[in-house]
């Protein structure tokens, strides 16, 4: 969906409420863990086919409990599957939210950068005639020192 200039703010009370809502989610999921990259690599990954396989396995054990050894905890196996389904739903909702926040951040960050490039151009122009602005232009120019003459222009970015 195309958008015009994003003009919004997040008030301190709204930010506090957002952080509180995230804390509520975290508190409702106290069992969440963090895996190392190596631990992630060693785990099975759960896609749609794997989820169907697990669902069918749960059904098989529920309908035929005598096919598994007595030590096999069918109830825990079923809870793991149910948690997998629930967390998949939560993750899908969070991914949608994350995607829109990320897209909005990218767009508004780009708007900020375009504005900053314009300000930098204005400051450089004004520094030629107004004492004291050269240091401001130099400070703003630090961002582009490694780029040399390749600094993007605000007019190019706005297009």
């Amino acid at each position: 969906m195309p958008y015009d200039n994003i003009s919004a703010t997040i008030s301190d009370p709204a930010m506090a409420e957002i952080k509180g809502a995230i804390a509520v989610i975290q508190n409702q999921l106290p069992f969440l863990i963090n895996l190392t990259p190596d631990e992630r690599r060693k785990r099975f990954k759960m896609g749609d086919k794997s989820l169907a396989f697990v669902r069918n396995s749960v059904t098989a054990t529920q309908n035929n409990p005598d096919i598994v050894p007595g030590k096999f905890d069918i109830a825990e196996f079923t809870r793991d599957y149910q948690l997998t389904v629930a967390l998949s739903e939560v993750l899908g909702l969070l991914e949608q939210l994350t995607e829109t926040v990320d897209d909005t951040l990218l767009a508004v960050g780009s708007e900020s950068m375009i504005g900053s490039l314009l300000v930098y151009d204005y400051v450089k122009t004004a520094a030629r005639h107004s004492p004291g602005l050269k240091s401001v232009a130099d400070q703003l120019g630090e961002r582009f020192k490694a780029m040399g003459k390749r600094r993007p222009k605000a007019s190019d970015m706005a297009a």
Side-chain angles (χ1 to χ4, degrees):
M1 175 170 88
Y3 68 94
D4 289 328
N5 185 32
I6 297 172
S7 180
T9 60
I10 300 175
S11 67
D12 290 343
M15 182 59 82
E17 195 169 328
I18 290 165
K19 289 178 179 180
I22 292 170
V24 167
I25 293 169
Q26 290 173 323
N27 289 336
Q28 290 297 315
L29 304 170
F31 49 83
L32 294 179
I33 62 170
N34 289 307
L35 297 174
T36 66
D38 191 49
E39 290 170 326
R40 290 184 66 81
R41 200 173 19 263
K42 291 179 181 178
R43 302 272 191 228
F44 281 107
K45 309 306 183 281
M46 188 69 110
D48 291 339
K49 290 180 183 178
S50 296
L51 190 60
F53 175 73
V54 174
R55 181 185 62 241
N56 292 336
S57 298
V58 167
T59 301
T61 59
Q62 290 172 339
N63 292 339
N64 306 286
D66 55 328
I67 64 170
V68 295
K71 290 175 147 180
F72 188 88
D73 190 342
I74 294 173
E76 180 60 28
F77 179 55
T78 302
R79 279 191 297 276
D80 287 347
Y81 166 72
Q82 291 167 340
L83 183 57
T84 299
V85 170
L87 287 175
S88 293
E89 183 177 352
V90 169
L91 181 60
L93 294 169
L94 291 173
E95 284 174 338
Q96 288 176 13
L97 177 61
T98 299
E99 184 178 327
T100 58
V101 169
D102 189 50
D103 287 349
T104 305
L105 177 60
L106 179 69
V108 77
S110 180
E111 290 175 12
S112 297
M113 191 64 185
I114 290 168
S116 294
L117 289 170
L118 287 170
V119 167
Y120 180 43
D121 287 341
Y122 298 150
V123 168
K124 286 191 313 184
T125 300
R128 292 184 200 132
H129 310 289
S130 301
L133 286 179
K134 182 174 179 344
S135 63
V136 175
D138 290 346
Q139 179 190 28
L140 292 173
E142 286 294 317
R143 162 67 178 83
F144 304 105
K145 263 199 170 160
M147 294 179 75
K149 298 285 184 185
R150 299 178 303 149
R151 185 185 69 78
K153 298 202 179 316
S155 57
D156 295 339
M157 297 294 292

